[in-house]
Amino acid sequence: MKLITFAILLVTASNLALSQPLPMVVDIIQSEPLGFQSKNGTPTGLHFDILTALSKLTGVPIKINIVPKARLIYDLKNGIADGAILFPNPEVDAITIDSGVTDQTKLVALGKVGFPLKSYDDLVRAKTVLMLVNTTFGNPFDSDLRLDKDKANSYDQMVTMFIHDRANVITGNLMALLYLLKKVNSVSKVDTSGLLFRNLDNHFYIAKKSHYREKSKVFINALDEMMNDGTINNIAMKYFDDHDAKLNLSEY
């Protein structure tokens, strides 16, 4: 009798396990303050916290993978990830469904002290530029052969290269750049005059191959709610303060 009871319990447990939905696998970029390991080894970051709140609000289980930027599109294309948080670009649009805005930032170019950037001509004169792989800024920057562009795999790597004088200009997500420069006490290395390429939204994308694509409208509505009720702003304030207040950004 005990053996029969055990067998019934085992089958019941197996059926329950099979009935549980597989979590949605979502990639986020491996970079402070977007996705990283805290000092005690737990995952954290702006995008990690936003997805955690999104999962709680929608009831959709989400498994968050923190990966190098070069992996994001690869994982979406190859069915490794159901979704990712990314800037919009044509390659992403072709393979995903836009499922809402997660956060807003500025795409900028910052020169080191002595290289103020008040116009595009100043950027050309600075010449050496650091940028993140798979990031586009638009023309003339993207096609300008006068610029000596060096690409980094992460913002952490880019900031390290910048403070060791590998280039005169650093480009990308203003929040990430200033967070990391502040972390290594190097905000003072940046000139107060920079270029603003554009204000930019990060989006939550779901791969067209994923069965979670049917949840797209659910996520759009939930992210709108989180934006409107201050949830996303409150999360962002954990990682971003007013240390950009002294910057003068000229439009690109």
Side-chain angles (χ1 to χ4, degrees):
M1 179 63 71
K2 288 183 179 179
L3 186 60
I4 294 172
T5 302
F6 176 76
I8 292 172
L9 289 172
L10 186 62
V11 170
T12 302
S14 298
N15 288 337
L16 284 172
L18 289 171
S19 67
Q20 296 298 316
L22 291 173
M24 182 181 191
V25 177
V26 179
D27 284 356
I28 60 175
I29 186 172
Q30 181 181 21
S31 180
E32 296 183 54
L34 307 176
F36 61 101
Q37 301 290 327
S38 66
K39 290 181 180 179
N40 62 11
T42 58
T44 188
L46 173 67
H47 289 166
F48 186 92
D49 291 353
I50 288 173
L51 287 175
T52 300
L54 181 64
S55 176
K56 183 177 180 180
L57 180 60
T58 60
V60 177
I62 297 177
K63 180 180 182 295
I64 305 167
N65 289 336
I66 301 174
V67 302
K69 185 176 181 183
R71 276 269 308 276
L72 295 175
I73 295 177
Y74 177 87
D75 285 0
L76 289 170
K77 281 183 176 178
N78 292 280
I80 298 170
D82 295 293
I85 294 179
L86 287 161
F87 287 147
N89 73 64
E91 187 176 9
V92 174
D93 292 341
I95 60 172
T96 63
I97 299 168
D98 187 346
S99 301
V101 174
T102 57
D103 60 294
Q104 300 168 322
T105 188
K106 292 179 172 66
L107 198 61
V108 300
L110 303 175
K112 67 182 183 182
V113 172
F115 288 89
L117 303 178
K118 298 181 180 180
S119 68
Y120 187 79
D121 288 339
D122 290 336
L123 183 62
V124 173
R125 280 190 287 271
K127 192 172 177 61
T128 52
V129 179
L130 290 169
M131 60 185 295
L132 207 59
V133 293
N134 298 327
T135 299
T136 59
F137 294 86
N139 287 320
F141 180 92
D142 291 342
S143 59
D144 197 334
L145 298 179
R146 295 172 297 174
L147 298 173
D148 182 5
K149 303 167 194 169
D150 198 355
K151 296 184 179 181
N153 292 315
S154 69
Y155 281 115
D156 312 66
Q157 181 187 28
M158 195 194 310
V159 166
T160 299
M161 293 166 71
F162 181 72
I163 63 177
H164 287 91
D165 297 322
R166 289 279 299 275
N168 295 324
V169 175
I170 192 168
T171 62
N173 181 325
L174 178 64
M175 178 180 180
L177 294 177
L178 290 181
Y179 179 94
L180 290 166
L181 286 165
K182 184 179 181 182
K183 181 182 176 182
V184 293
N185 299 312
S186 295
V187 174
S188 60
K189 286 183 174 287
V190 174
D191 198 280
T192 56
S193 294
L195 281 183
L196 172 64
F197 287 99
R198 60 187 180 275
N199 293 303
L200 198 58
D201 295 335
N202 272 304
H203 289 243
F204 181 42
Y205 289 101
I206 301 177
K208 290 179 179 178
K209 293 180 178 180
S210 171
H211 66 276
Y212 278 102
R213 64 186 180 275
E214 297 175 358
K215 294 284 188 180
S216 179
K217 289 185 178 179
V218 172
F219 289 125
I220 290 172
N221 292 336
L223 285 168
D224 282 346
E225 180 179 335
M226 289 167 61
M227 190 72 74
N228 292 331
D229 69 11
T231 299
I232 289 176
N233 183 65
N234 290 337
I235 292 172
M237 292 308 294
K238 291 171 55 180
Y239 303 100
F240 193 55
D241 55 29
D242 62 353
H243 52 263
D244 68 326
K246 295 181 180 179
L247 289 177
N248 298 309
L249 297 176
S250 301
E251 290 193 9
Y252 169 62

